[in-house]
Amino acid sequence: MSATCTIPQIEPWINEAEMRELRRVIDSTFLVEHDLTREFEGMIAHVTGSKYAIAVCNGTLAIFVCLKALGIGPGDEVIVPNLTFIATANAVLLAGATPVLCEIREDTFCLDVSRAGELLTERTRAVLPVHLYGQSADAIAIGEFARRHDLKVIEDAAQGVGVKFAGRHVGTFGESGVLSFYGNKTITCGEGGVILTHDDELARAVYRLKNHGRDQKGLFIHDSIGFNFAFTDLQAAVGIAQLKKLPAILGRKREIHDRYLDELQDLEEFRPVFVDPRCEPVFWFTSFLCGEVEELSSFLRGQGIQTRRFFYPLHQQPCYADRKIVRGMDADFRISEAVYRQGISLPSSYRLNAEEQSFVIGQIRRFYAGRV
Ligand SMILES: Cc1ncc(COP(=O)(O)O)c(C=O)c1O
């Protein structure tokens, strides 16, 4: 393999299967949200075991809609993990509420609910755990904490399609959960989000919020205020084809993960990510903790291999620097900082072939061999 090749960290697996589903949409002339969206939602409900699966235009707005539907807004506080993609906290801000930062666990990198008690005030209304990097937060402990303190749980399972915890799909433990189908996710519609809930009333409120405040299209008397966060049947077509591929994608990602682990296990500097034994993870990204992340990723970039750093801790985000809109910015976040500093995600696409993976492994070994 030449040093000029480009091995992406992640890319979707799109082919004739998506084209066939898209052809159904084109033939039907319903490009907007219609029958294929209902079919896609039904498939998601089946895969996740959720009573309702409601598609909206993206995962960020899906979180926002859940918060609004639960009546969370200005004056309310929502506990979020300090290490996540920024959309988690920004969706809280969009709802007018205040994100409160909670440190993560050292092992799973997900919200450490044992620290959440210190963050409670009379304004706390919800916990928003994130199931990060294809793992699960401790959904059971978080549920118990929320019940004890009369809080809602909205699970950010944007990265979690296919992930289970104690035998149950993530996103189905709390009042509601959110999946994302952005282009880099395990399966994609380009853009797209789905809200999961078992609650009839909440499902109705969510649907109204995404559909101009009404229960069905074509009515022009609006009892409540809503917006347009509709999905499209074009996205649904791609999503349906992708869902049919999900078992194959999950299996291949596991193989890729297991091979990285197997062939890099003797590198002391390269530590695999812990998986909670109660969790059935999805190796959306295969990630490691290691020293010299910046040097390693720049070396690999030079060899045509793309890697990705971990999310930047929220308490250090420049956009929150004025410390007014997010609470808890000055707490001790040594764990988030260390995980960010050491985390790296390797090429993990379904389409990564054996020769490319050998090349990636070989180059990582070469980097560390040069350091001793
Ligand atoms: C943890 C997390 N939350 C929320 C989002 C937002 O989803 P979307 O990109 O579909 O808006 C993403 C990813 O994109 C994510 O990784």
Side-chain angles (χ1 to χ4, degrees), residues 162-177:
V163 179
K164 290 189 176 153
F165 188 76
R168 203 156 134 189
H169 199 286
V170 294
T172 66
F173 287 82
E175 271 70 25
S176 63

Side-chain angles (χ1 to χ4, degrees), residues 295-327:
E295 293 84 348
L296 173 64
S297 58
S298 134
F299 172 78
L300 292 176
R301 199 177 315 122
Q303 308 307 312
I305 298 166
Q306 188 188 34
T307 57
R308 212 167 285 257
R309 296 286 302 264
F310 274 22
F311 296 119
Y312 197 52
L314 296 183
H315 75 292
Q316 294 179 326
Q317 288 288 358
C319 59
Y320 300 154
D322 71 4
R323 293 173 145 58
K324 290 197 185 104
I325 51 175
V326 174
R327 202 165 71 72

Side-chain angles (χ1 to χ4, degrees), residues 230-280:
F231 207 55
T232 67
D233 270 17
L234 290 166
Q235 288 162 287
V238 176
I240 287 167
Q242 289 273 291
L243 271 167
K244 291 179 185 165
K245 293 174 174 173
L246 183 62
I249 293 175
L250 298 184
R252 178 74 192 117
K253 280 182 181 275
R254 179 171 278 280
E255 278 170 17
I256 290 169
H257 168 269
D258 291 353
R259 181 165 175 216
Y260 277 132
L261 244 60
D262 190 40
E263 297 190 25
L264 293 168
Q265 63 178 332
D266 61 310
L267 289 184
E268 251 173 55
E269 309 86 333
F270 224 66
R271 298 186 307 286
V273 171
F274 169 84
V275 177
D276 187 321
R278 294 168 297 171
C279 175
E280 214 177 288

Side-chain angles (χ1 to χ4, degrees), residues 58-60 63 84-85 87-88 130 156 158-159 180 182 185 192 311:
N58 61 56
T60 308
I63 301 171
T84 178
F85 182 54
T88 314
V130 179
D156 180 343
Q159 305 170 2
S180 165
Y182 177 65
K185 297 297 185 287
F311 296 119

Side-chain angles (χ1 to χ4, degrees), residues 83 104-106 109 289 310 334-344:
L83 196 88
I104 56 163
R105 288 173 60 116
E106 205 165 0
F109 315 152
L289 295 183
F310 274 22
R334 254 174 287 184
I335 298 172
S336 321
E337 287 169 18
V339 168
Y340 164 71
R341 228 179 10 255
Q342 300 172 64
I344 190 165

